[in-house]
Every structure is written in structure tokens, then in C-alpha cells.
Amino acid sequence: MDRRRFLVSTAAVACLAGMSPLHSARGPVREWEIGPRIRGRNYSPGMPSHPEAADEGWFFDFPGPRRADGHVHYLTRRTAPLDTARGLRLRYRIEAAPHTRFVPQEFPDREATLSLFIQRAGDDWLARNGTQFHRWYSPADRVVPLERGTHDITIWFEENWISVMGSDRERSPRAFADTLTNAARMGFTLGSVGGRGHGVFATGPARLTVLDFAVL
């Protein structure tokens, strides 16, 4: 399937599933960024800078059907400090054409997953000299496979979040606490085990709609 036919099919599936038609993002949806954007480069190739508004929240369509068509990595927004919060909750729905597969672009033989995400202010994306504790992802046993349906994820900050280079809250409690105190961005990432935010594409038309994202 070529790229043009894929986009046409995406629109057709949206109509059949009763999805809202594409329209310009408005209101709070503009606070969400598809990325990450690092030194001027967007690391979600083939994707717009922001998701689209919908009656129920906001959404994006997965790129595809080939890796060369693009892949989506991070969905994030700015946040105030999280040190007085208890956790994060994400409620979302995935709709996809029959037989569609979600494929991690870096490790295509692994299962595509979603992780919640927190980033500390001042992160340089190099993960060294202290910044290896500036990005944190869902605990190892709380990663969610990408699959059709409506899903509701709540992860508490007392759980064992994983840092970008493989440490965790239990081994590095001060670093995690410092991230909550100095939090700059939050959201979720798409990838796989061994590459939590390294990107996913879909082999057929597919859409992820965020119904709610809350700080608890």
C-alpha cells in the first residue's frame, strides 16, 4: 500500500468508526507536542507538531504502513512541579483497521508498547553527567502493549519508575524525588522494551484518542 492510499484508508476508517473528522487543533490540545524536539529536530518523523482536537479529547493517526513513512515517539506537555502529586492517569482509545499491527521502528520483532513519562527541567537528552536521571518511564511491570480498545492506566509515584539508563526509583530514590520537584514535561511514549520512546508505526490505518490525562 502506498502512502497516499494509506491516508485515504485512514480517513475511511475514521468515518466508519464514528470518529470526529480532522480539524484544526484548538484550546488545550495545543499544549501537547508530538516529538521529542531536540535541538530543532523533531524525532517523530512524518508526524505533525501537535495532535488534533476531537469532541472527546484529542487524537493522532499513526504513520505507516512502512517505517519510511514515519513513526511516533513522544506525546508530552509542560507541567508544574509534581512533588505534591500522587501519580498520573491516562485514559485512551485505539481504533485500527482489521489486521493492523503496531511495529516498534527500532526493534520490529518486539511488542509495541506505551509508557507514561516524566522529564526533569534541564534535560540535555544525552543521559550522562547526571542527566541519566532526568527522564523516567512506567515501571517494568506496568508497560502497556498497543492494542485496540479503551484503556485506563494509573501509575502512582510510589511505584518503581524506570530511569532512562535503566536505574529505578528503588535504587535512585533521591534522583526520582528531584525529578518530581523539578518536573518540566509529562506525557507518554511509544516504543518497546529496550526503547521505551523510540517510536512506533502502524501497518494499517490506526488512531489513538486521548480521552483524559490527569495529575492525581
mmCIF file of all heavy atoms in Angstrom, residues 106-126:
data_model
loop_
_atom_site.group_PDB
_atom_site.id
_atom_site.type_symbol
_atom_site.label_atom_id
_atom_site.label_comp_id
_atom_site.label_asym_id
_atom_site.label_seq_id
_atom_site.Cartn_x
_atom_site.Cartn_y
_atom_site.Cartn_z
ATOM 1 N N GLU A 106 12.543 0.633 15.872
ATOM 2 C CA GLU A 106 13.924 0.236 16.170
ATOM 3 C C GLU A 106 14.055 -1.267 16.356
ATOM 4 O O GLU A 106 15.050 -1.870 15.928
ATOM 5 C CB GLU A 106 14.425 0.958 17.416
ATOM 6 C CG GLU A 106 15.885 0.689 17.720
ATOM 7 C CD GLU A 106 16.374 1.452 18.927
ATOM 8 O OE1 GLU A 106 15.580 1.675 19.870
ATOM 9 O OE2 GLU A 106 17.561 1.834 18.946
ATOM 10 N N PHE A 107 13.072 -1.878 16.989
ATOM 11 C CA PHE A 107 13.085 -3.319 17.265
ATOM 12 C C PHE A 107 11.797 -3.940 16.737
ATOM 13 O O PHE A 107 10.892 -4.264 17.509
ATOM 14 C CB PHE A 107 13.219 -3.568 18.768
ATOM 15 C CG PHE A 107 14.439 -2.959 19.400
ATOM 16 C CD1 PHE A 107 14.313 -1.906 20.309
ATOM 17 C CD2 PHE A 107 15.712 -3.426 19.097
ATOM 18 C CE1 PHE A 107 15.439 -1.350 20.900
ATOM 19 C CE2 PHE A 107 16.839 -2.870 19.684
ATOM 20 C CZ PHE A 107 16.705 -1.823 20.594
ATOM 21 N N PRO A 108 11.663 -4.111 15.431
ATOM 22 C CA PRO A 108 10.402 -4.559 14.847
ATOM 23 C C PRO A 108 9.958 -5.957 15.261
ATOM 24 O O PRO A 108 8.796 -6.313 15.074
ATOM 25 C CB PRO A 108 10.663 -4.486 13.340
ATOM 26 C CG PRO A 108 12.146 -4.519 13.193
ATOM 27 C CD PRO A 108 12.687 -3.823 14.407
ATOM 28 N N ASP A 109 10.855 -6.735 15.849
ATOM 29 C CA ASP A 109 10.483 -8.073 16.298
ATOM 30 C C ASP A 109 9.908 -8.063 17.717
ATOM 31 O O ASP A 109 9.458 -9.105 18.211
ATOM 32 C CB ASP A 109 11.703 -8.998 16.250
ATOM 33 C CG ASP A 109 12.862 -8.478 17.090
ATOM 34 O OD1 ASP A 109 13.037 -7.237 17.174
ATOM 35 O OD2 ASP A 109 13.596 -9.307 17.668
ATOM 36 N N ARG A 110 9.907 -6.902 18.379
ATOM 37 C CA ARG A 110 9.394 -6.810 19.744
ATOM 38 C C ARG A 110 7.957 -6.266 19.742
ATOM 39 O O ARG A 110 7.475 -5.756 18.745
ATOM 40 C CB ARG A 110 10.299 -5.908 20.594
ATOM 41 C CG ARG A 110 11.720 -6.435 20.711
ATOM 42 C CD ARG A 110 12.590 -5.546 21.568
ATOM 43 N NE ARG A 110 13.988 -6.008 21.541
ATOM 44 C CZ ARG A 110 14.985 -5.402 22.168
ATOM 45 N NH1 ARG A 110 14.762 -4.307 22.884
ATOM 46 N NH2 ARG A 110 16.217 -5.891 22.081
ATOM 47 N N GLU A 111 7.300 -6.359 20.898
ATOM 48 C CA GLU A 111 5.936 -5.878 21.045
ATOM 49 C C GLU A 111 5.934 -4.362 21.203
ATOM 50 O O GLU A 111 6.725 -3.796 21.967
ATOM 51 C CB GLU A 111 5.287 -6.523 22.273
ATOM 52 C CG GLU A 111 3.831 -6.187 22.468
ATOM 53 C CD GLU A 111 3.233 -6.972 23.613
ATOM 54 O OE1 GLU A 111 3.832 -7.000 24.705
ATOM 55 O OE2 GLU A 111 2.158 -7.575 23.409
ATOM 56 N N ALA A 112 5.048 -3.674 20.493
ATOM 57 C CA ALA A 112 4.912 -2.224 20.624
ATOM 58 C C ALA A 112 4.222 -1.894 21.944
ATOM 59 O O ALA A 112 3.234 -2.528 22.321
ATOM 60 C CB ALA A 112 4.116 -1.665 19.454
ATOM 61 N N THR A 113 4.738 -0.884 22.646
ATOM 62 C CA THR A 113 4.251 -0.572 23.984
ATOM 63 C C THR A 113 4.053 0.925 24.183
ATOM 64 O O THR A 113 4.582 1.760 23.445
ATOM 65 C CB THR A 113 5.227 -1.076 25.060
ATOM 66 O OG1 THR A 113 6.499 -0.424 24.891
ATOM 67 C CG2 THR A 113 5.413 -2.580 24.985
ATOM 68 N N LEU A 114 3.320 1.241 25.253
ATOM 69 C CA LEU A 114 3.101 2.614 25.715
ATOM 70 C C LEU A 114 3.586 2.724 27.146
ATOM 71 O O LEU A 114 3.305 1.843 27.968
ATOM 72 C CB LEU A 114 1.620 2.967 25.609
ATOM 73 C CG LEU A 114 1.191 4.371 26.034
ATOM 74 C CD1 LEU A 114 -0.034 4.810 25.216
ATOM 75 C CD2 LEU A 114 0.846 4.455 27.529
ATOM 76 N N SER A 115 4.300 3.822 27.456
ATOM 77 C CA SER A 115 4.769 4.100 28.816
ATOM 78 C C SER A 115 4.389 5.518 29.205
ATOM 79 O O SER A 115 4.473 6.430 28.376
ATOM 80 C CB SER A 115 6.295 3.981 28.912
ATOM 81 O OG SER A 115 6.744 2.667 28.750
ATOM 82 N N LEU A 116 3.997 5.710 30.447
ATOM 83 C CA LEU A 116 3.885 7.072 30.959
ATOM 84 C C LEU A 116 5.287 7.633 31.142
ATOM 85 O O LEU A 116 6.274 6.890 31.227
ATOM 86 C CB LEU A 116 3.103 7.097 32.261
ATOM 87 C CG LEU A 116 1.639 6.647 32.180
ATOM 88 C CD1 LEU A 116 0.904 6.972 33.474
ATOM 89 C CD2 LEU A 116 0.926 7.260 30.998
ATOM 90 N N PHE A 117 5.390 8.974 31.265
ATOM 91 C CA PHE A 117 6.695 9.630 31.143
ATOM 92 C C PHE A 117 6.726 10.918 31.955
ATOM 93 O O PHE A 117 5.756 11.675 31.985
ATOM 94 C CB PHE A 117 6.946 9.943 29.665
ATOM 95 C CG PHE A 117 8.159 10.796 29.389
ATOM 96 C CD1 PHE A 117 9.427 10.254 29.486
ATOM 97 C CD2 PHE A 117 8.024 12.119 29.010
ATOM 98 C CE1 PHE A 117 10.549 11.033 29.214
ATOM 99 C CE2 PHE A 117 9.131 12.908 28.739
ATOM 100 C CZ PHE A 117 10.397 12.360 28.839
ATOM 101 N N ILE A 118 7.884 11.159 32.609
ATOM 102 C CA ILE A 118 8.160 12.407 33.317
ATOM 103 C C ILE A 118 9.571 12.852 32.942
ATOM 104 O O ILE A 118 10.497 12.024 32.882
ATOM 105 C CB ILE A 118 8.106 12.242 34.849
ATOM 106 C CG1 ILE A 118 6.849 11.502 35.292
ATOM 107 C CG2 ILE A 118 8.198 13.595 35.555
ATOM 108 C CD1 ILE A 118 6.947 10.973 36.714
ATOM 109 N N GLN A 119 9.760 14.156 32.741
ATOM 110 C CA GLN A 119 11.076 14.692 32.390
ATOM 111 C C GLN A 119 11.407 15.874 33.294
ATOM 112 O O GLN A 119 10.592 16.778 33.499
ATOM 113 C CB GLN A 119 11.091 15.138 30.928
ATOM 114 C CG GLN A 119 12.444 15.607 30.439
ATOM 115 C CD GLN A 119 12.418 15.937 28.957
ATOM 116 O OE1 GLN A 119 11.396 16.343 28.411
ATOM 117 N NE2 GLN A 119 13.542 15.765 28.296
ATOM 118 N N ARG A 120 12.620 15.860 33.792
ATOM 119 C CA ARG A 120 13.089 16.941 34.655
ATOM 120 C C ARG A 120 13.556 18.133 33.829
ATOM 121 O O ARG A 120 14.068 17.972 32.705
ATOM 122 C CB ARG A 120 14.232 16.427 35.526
ATOM 123 C CG ARG A 120 14.840 17.471 36.449
ATOM 124 C CD ARG A 120 15.881 16.880 37.354
ATOM 125 N NE ARG A 120 16.634 17.920 38.037
ATOM 126 C CZ ARG A 120 17.339 17.747 39.131
ATOM 127 N NH1 ARG A 120 17.405 16.533 39.675
ATOM 128 N NH2 ARG A 120 17.989 18.741 39.691
ATOM 129 N N ALA A 121 13.415 19.325 34.376
ATOM 130 C CA ALA A 121 13.922 20.532 33.730
ATOM 131 C C ALA A 121 15.432 20.432 33.553
ATOM 132 O O ALA A 121 16.138 19.861 34.390
ATOM 133 C CB ALA A 121 13.580 21.755 34.577
ATOM 134 N N GLY A 122 15.933 20.967 32.450
ATOM 135 C CA GLY A 122 17.371 20.985 32.193
ATOM 136 C C GLY A 122 17.911 19.750 31.515
ATOM 137 O O GLY A 122 19.126 19.620 31.328
ATOM 138 N N ASP A 123 17.034 18.826 31.108
ATOM 139 C CA ASP A 123 17.500 17.612 30.437
ATOM 140 C C ASP A 123 18.134 17.967 29.088
ATOM 141 O O ASP A 123 17.556 18.703 28.291
ATOM 142 C CB ASP A 123 16.332 16.658 30.224
ATOM 143 C CG ASP A 123 16.754 15.314 29.662
ATOM 144 O OD1 ASP A 123 17.940 14.959 29.824
ATOM 145 O OD2 ASP A 123 15.906 14.635 29.070
ATOM 146 N N ASP A 124 19.329 17.428 28.831
ATOM 147 C CA ASP A 124 20.013 17.696 27.560
ATOM 148 C C ASP A 124 19.902 16.529 26.580
ATOM 149 O O ASP A 124 20.500 16.545 25.517
ATOM 150 C CB ASP A 124 21.487 18.037 27.794
ATOM 151 C CG ASP A 124 22.249 16.918 28.509
ATOM 152 O OD1 ASP A 124 21.687 15.802 28.686
ATOM 153 O OD2 ASP A 124 23.406 17.148 28.910
ATOM 154 N N TRP A 125 19.169 15.465 26.960
ATOM 155 C CA TRP A 125 18.926 14.284 26.130
ATOM 156 C C TRP A 125 20.180 13.442 25.902
ATOM 157 O O TRP A 125 20.165 12.517 25.105
ATOM 158 C CB TRP A 125 18.316 14.658 24.784
ATOM 159 C CG TRP A 125 16.949 15.235 24.912
ATOM 160 C CD1 TRP A 125 16.621 16.564 25.008
ATOM 161 C CD2 TRP A 125 15.708 14.525 25.002
ATOM 162 N NE1 TRP A 125 15.260 16.720 25.150
ATOM 163 C CE2 TRP A 125 14.666 15.487 25.138
ATOM 164 C CE3 TRP A 125 15.373 13.168 24.958
ATOM 165 C CZ2 TRP A 125 13.333 15.129 25.251
ATOM 166 C CZ3 TRP A 125 14.032 12.816 25.057
ATOM 167 C CH2 TRP A 125 13.027 13.787 25.201
ATOM 168 N N LEU A 126 21.265 13.726 26.614
ATOM 169 C CA LEU A 126 22.497 12.961 26.450
ATOM 170 C C LEU A 126 22.616 11.836 27.475
ATOM 171 O O LEU A 126 23.437 10.933 27.306
ATOM 172 C CB LEU A 126 23.714 13.884 26.542
ATOM 173 C CG LEU A 126 23.796 14.972 25.463
ATOM 174 C CD1 LEU A 126 25.015 15.869 25.701
ATOM 175 C CD2 LEU A 126 23.856 14.360 24.072
#
